[in-house]
């Protein structure tokens, strides 16, 4: 049986107290759990039961930030398309009209690629948040099981 040393574990993660942890620390703790002794891991988890909540909050912040970035990019691309649409086509040669049409198609393709990349990003983010939350819940279930056997 390992001896629970709160100060030693706090030193490992660079915090003075578990309740003062930054939002990034729960992820660090989860990655450190496999290298900890079972009893120590149980005690660490008892000290920071908000790991799942912090993980979900971090994920929500990432998704909100991504949403703002994507919206900004789409607005810029829409502005380009709008500018190209406002050009007086009667004053242009056939080659210039084709060039403008080609530019509009390029912008549309950029928007499509951005959309596809964003969907991949969102899928991976949700998956990773799910993995972390499931991992934390599994650890909590194991801890509860260990306590019930004692």
């Amino acid at each position: 049986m390992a001896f629970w040393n709160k100060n030693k574990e706090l030193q490992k993660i660079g915090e003075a107290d578990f309740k003062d942890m930054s939002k990034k620390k729960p992820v660090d703790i989860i990655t450190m759990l496999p290298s900890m002794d079972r009893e120590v891991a149980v005690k660490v988890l008892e000290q920071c039961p908000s790991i799942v909540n912090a993980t979900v909050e971090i994920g929500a912040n990432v998704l909100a930030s991504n949403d703002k970035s994507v919206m900004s990019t789409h607005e810029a691309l829409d502005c380009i398309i709008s500018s190209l649409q406002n050009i007086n086509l009667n004053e242009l040669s056939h080659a210039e009209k084709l060039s403008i049409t080609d530019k509009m198609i390029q912008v549309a393709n950029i928007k499509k690629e951005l959309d596809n990349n964003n969907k991949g990003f969102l899928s991976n983010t949700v998956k990773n948040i799910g993995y972390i939350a499931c991992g934390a819940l599994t650890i909590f279930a194991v801890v509860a099981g260990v306590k019930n056997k004692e």
Side-chain angles (χ1 to χ4, degrees):
M1 179 171 172
F3 177 69
W4 161 243
N5 185 336
K6 180 179 178 180
N7 292 332
K8 183 178 175 185
E9 298 308 321
L10 284 167
Q11 219 172 20
K12 282 183 184 177
I13 61 171
E15 291 291 334
D17 196 352
F18 283 106
K19 64 184 174 188
D20 298 329
M21 284 192 315
S22 69
K23 301 228 185 286
K24 182 185 175 293
K25 291 299 180 180
V27 176
D28 294 341
I29 290 172
I30 289 173
T31 59
M32 290 170 50
L33 286 174
S35 65
M36 292 181 190
D37 186 69
R38 182 185 208 123
E39 288 81 16
V40 173
V42 168
K43 290 291 187 181
V44 169
L45 289 173
E46 287 174 350
Q47 295 296 316
C48 49
S50 62
I51 288 177
V52 174
N53 290 340
T55 303
V56 170
E57 187 176 329
I58 290 167
N61 290 340
V62 167
L63 294 176
S65 174
N66 176 63
D67 190 40
K68 288 178 187 174
S69 173
V70 169
M71 291 295 287
S72 173
T73 305
H74 275 290
E75 287 172 3
L77 292 170
D78 289 341
C79 182
I80 293 169
I81 288 176
S82 178
S83 296
L84 290 171
Q85 288 173 335
N86 290 331
I87 294 174
N88 186 354
L89 297 177
N90 294 331
E91 299 173 1
L92 301 176
S93 68
H94 180 69
E96 291 171 324
K97 290 177 186 177
L98 287 176
S99 176
I100 289 174
T101 303
D102 184 52
K103 299 297 180 198
M104 291 175 79
I105 291 170
Q106 288 176 11
V107 171
N109 286 336
I110 291 170
K111 286 185 76 164
K112 179 181 175 185
E113 184 178 337
L114 175 67
D115 187 51
N116 288 339
N117 289 342
N118 189 50
K119 286 177 184 173
F121 170 78
L122 292 175
S123 174
N124 286 335
T125 301
V126 169
K127 238 187 282 185
N128 290 336
I129 291 169
Y131 290 150
I132 292 170
C134 286
L137 289 173
T138 301
I139 292 168
F140 286 127
V142 168
V143 169
V146 167
K147 285 192 172 188
N148 286 337
K149 288 183 180 180
E150 293 173 356

